[in-house]
Amino acid sequence: MSGLQPIAFWGLQVPAGDQLTMVASEIPGVNMFRITMAAIDPNAKPLEADQPKRATLKLIRRPLDHDDYEDDEDDEDESADEEELKKIQKKSKKLAKKGAQANQMEVDGEDSDEEEDSDDEGFETEEFVICTLDPERQYQQTLDIVVGEYEEAFFKVVGNFDVFLSGNYVVPADRNGEKDDEDDSEDEDEDEYDLSPDEDELMNMLGGGVDDSEDELDDIENPRITEIDSEDEKKEIEPKLTKAGKKSLKRAAEEEGRFNSPTVQENRRQEDPERAEKAEKAGSPATKKVVQGVTIEDKKTGTGPVAKNGVKLGMRYIGKLNNGKVFDSNTKGKPFTFRLGKGEVIKGWDVGLVGMQVGGERRIVIPANMAYGKKQLPGIPANSTLTFDVKLLEVK
């Protein structure tokens, strides 16, 4: 969920008939796309009635060049990259034009001058089959294809139906929000969310930690503060109370009992119901339930606005596999934001986060069919059950 930030919807219609269609941006300065779905209209009429009712989607691109992805070091490098990008776009338009004219019977050779011929010389392409769709058995296919900023990509359809692609314009996650200054990070400590053990805890778990029972103060003679190692030492050190002291302790215990009695608590609810309700929620124990196969366990109940379908949430999270390995996290900096119930995240999140309140912490265990299913992603094997520890920071 980190790495690339979606900023707008992207779509492309690839017509049937073996015609090249270029992947192009309509947003200035944004040239990266994540393609997540390919589909055909099951009610559409086939292009040729006597041909098989299917459509094969293919991706054509220029082989990647390492030079296209080198970082810029100065203004001269940036201008060179801009010229290279313009050159790539120029070649892309030429290749798309040549694909559109591939089925024509006549080609006018006088339309291309010597400069165009020299530019196209040595322009190689790679072709990949993405999926085959038909209107009866499989008319849509989920994808996860990212077209990079400097990639020249085209799609074409071999078959009888137009293919509709959809996804998002994306940018690197650190482009939308730079790292916070050190001064600002101190004010956001309460938003940081880290359940992973620190270095000392790991050393103790592995048996290599330092014994907490020993420290550099143990060698001081006659210390004013003494460590108690056993109950016997505790009894020896405890002072004996006088009769007056015992009466004072008894009176304090009685006052505390009256203060926490049901009658006093009921009076509190009547005087300030909202405050009483928040206090009861804050002290409530963890609860666990299962909704649509997703196990939900509230670790801490929040007191702010409630997460409902359609609202925008700001989250901290740590995602783990069953073996405890962390595959993704957002614990500081800009929170991860999305709109609940709109399919912008895995289904287990849309189900497991409903009802949370701002300030609340929750653990959700998501089965594979509510996460990524049989799909294998970097760091996430196929058919993986995912565990997320989440904290709700804001509701918009």
Side-chain angles (χ1 to χ4, degrees):
M1 296 184 191
S2 60
L4 292 177
Q5 177 74 29
I7 59 171
F9 174 81
W10 174 88
L12 179 67
Q13 179 178 357
V14 185
D18 207 17
Q19 177 180 340
L20 289 180
T21 303
M22 182 173 62
V23 179
S25 172
E26 297 179 357
I27 301 179
V30 180
N31 295 292
M32 294 183 67
F33 314 87
R34 168 166 276 160
I35 304 171
T36 56
M37 180 67 70
I40 62 175
D41 184 354
N43 298 319
K45 294 181 180 180
L47 186 65
E48 299 180 9
D50 58 340
Q51 296 298 321
K53 294 183 178 180
R54 61 172 180 260
T56 298
L57 178 68
K58 295 185 177 183
L59 171 66
I60 296 90
R61 72 170 186 181
R62 184 175 71 90
L64 295 179
D65 186 352
H66 177 72
D67 293 339
D68 291 341
Y69 294 89
E70 290 185 348
D71 293 335
D72 300 333
E73 295 183 356
D74 50 33
D75 295 338
E76 294 181 0
D77 292 339
E78 291 179 1
S79 61
D81 284 345
E82 291 178 358
E83 293 177 1
E84 178 66 16
L85 181 57
K86 292 179 180 179
K87 187 176 180 181
I88 288 173
Q89 293 174 342
K90 182 179 179 182
K91 291 181 180 179
S92 300
K93 293 178 181 179
K94 293 175 184 176
L95 186 57
K97 182 178 179 181
K98 292 174 70 175
Q101 297 174 347
N103 294 327
Q104 294 181 358
M105 299 299 296
E106 296 181 359
V107 178
D108 186 1
E110 297 179 358
D111 291 341
S112 300
D113 55 19
E114 295 179 358
E115 181 180 356
E116 291 177 343
D117 291 339
S118 61
D119 287 342
D120 293 338
E121 185 176 355
F123 189 80
E124 299 178 355
T125 60
E126 297 175 329
E127 183 171 303
F128 304 91
V129 175
I130 303 302
C131 62
T132 297
L133 306 172
D134 67 76
E136 297 178 357
R137 292 174 296 178
Q138 184 177 6
Y139 47 83
Q140 62 181 11
Q141 175 65 50
T142 57
L143 305 173
D144 191 2
I145 299 175
V146 175
V147 179
E149 187 171 2
Y150 295 103
E151 281 191 275
E152 296 174 75
F154 304 83
F155 284 99
K156 72 176 181 179
V157 173
V158 179
N160 256 332
F161 298 93
D162 293 356
V163 174
F164 297 86
L165 301 177
S166 58
N168 297 98
Y169 290 92
V170 294
V171 296
D174 56 359
R175 183 182 296 182
N176 277 350
E178 299 296 334
K179 294 183 179 179
D180 297 330
D181 296 337
E182 294 181 1
D183 295 338
D184 296 338
S185 63
E186 295 179 0
D187 299 333
E188 298 179 358
D189 286 344
E190 63 181 38
D191 291 342
E192 295 187 2
Y193 188 53
D194 187 4
L195 300 181
S196 58
D198 57 25
E199 184 177 351
D200 294 336
E201 292 173 337
L202 287 174
M203 291 296 293
N204 291 331
M205 291 166 61
L206 296 174
V210 179
D211 187 358
D212 292 337
S213 63
E214 298 181 1
D215 54 43
E216 57 188 18
L217 300 178
D218 291 341
D219 297 332
I220 299 177
E221 295 183 1
N222 300 321
R224 287 185 293 174
I225 300 175
T226 305
E227 295 181 0
I228 299 176
D229 296 329
S230 65
E231 289 295 327
D232 293 337
E233 293 182 11
K234 181 178 179 181
K235 291 179 181 178
E236 293 176 2
I237 296 176
E238 285 180 350
K240 294 182 179 180
L241 295 176
T242 62
K243 290 183 178 180
K246 291 180 179 179
K247 288 182 179 180
S248 298
L249 289 178
K250 184 177 180 181
R251 192 180 305 112
E254 291 175 353
E255 290 294 334
E256 183 178 356
R258 284 197 296 270
F259 183 76
N260 291 321
S261 65
T263 302
V264 174
Q265 292 180 359
E266 182 62 30
N267 290 337
R268 283 198 218 116
R269 292 192 191 97
Q270 294 178 0
E271 293 174 0
D272 194 345
E274 184 176 352
R275 183 176 180 181
E277 183 180 357
K278 289 182 179 180
E280 290 175 1
K281 286 184 177 181
S284 61
T287 58
K288 183 183 290 188
K289 60 183 177 180
V290 179
V291 180
Q292 298 183 33
V294 179
T295 302
I296 302 171
E297 182 178 0
D298 283 311
K299 299 293 187 179
K300 177 183 176 182
T301 302
T303 57
V306 179
K308 301 177 182 179
N309 285 333
V311 300
K312 191 173 184 181
L313 307 183
M315 305 294 302
R316 298 286 188 211
Y317 67 87
I318 298 175
K320 302 178 182 178
L321 303 176
N322 280 343
N323 60 8
K325 182 179 179 181
V326 176
F327 61 86
D328 194 9
S329 65
N330 181 309
T331 58
K332 57 185 177 179
K334 185 178 181 180
F336 173 70
T337 58
F338 71 100
R339 200 165 293 279
L340 185 63
K342 299 300 181 181
E344 297 180 4
V345 291
I346 57 177
K347 194 170 182 180
W349 269 49
D350 279 339
V351 171
L353 300 183
V354 173
M356 282 193 74
Q357 292 180 262
V358 170
E361 298 177 10
R362 177 176 288 187
R363 172 169 290 178
I364 53 177
V365 181
I366 304 175
N369 66 309
M370 298 290 282
Y372 298 105
K374 298 180 180 179
K375 186 185 299 183
Q376 181 175 356
L377 299 177
I380 304 177
N383 299 313
S384 292
T385 296
L386 308 180
T387 299
F388 288 91
D389 291 306
V390 300
K391 180 177 181 179
L392 179 58
L393 300 184
E394 58 184 3
V395 172
K396 296 181 179 180

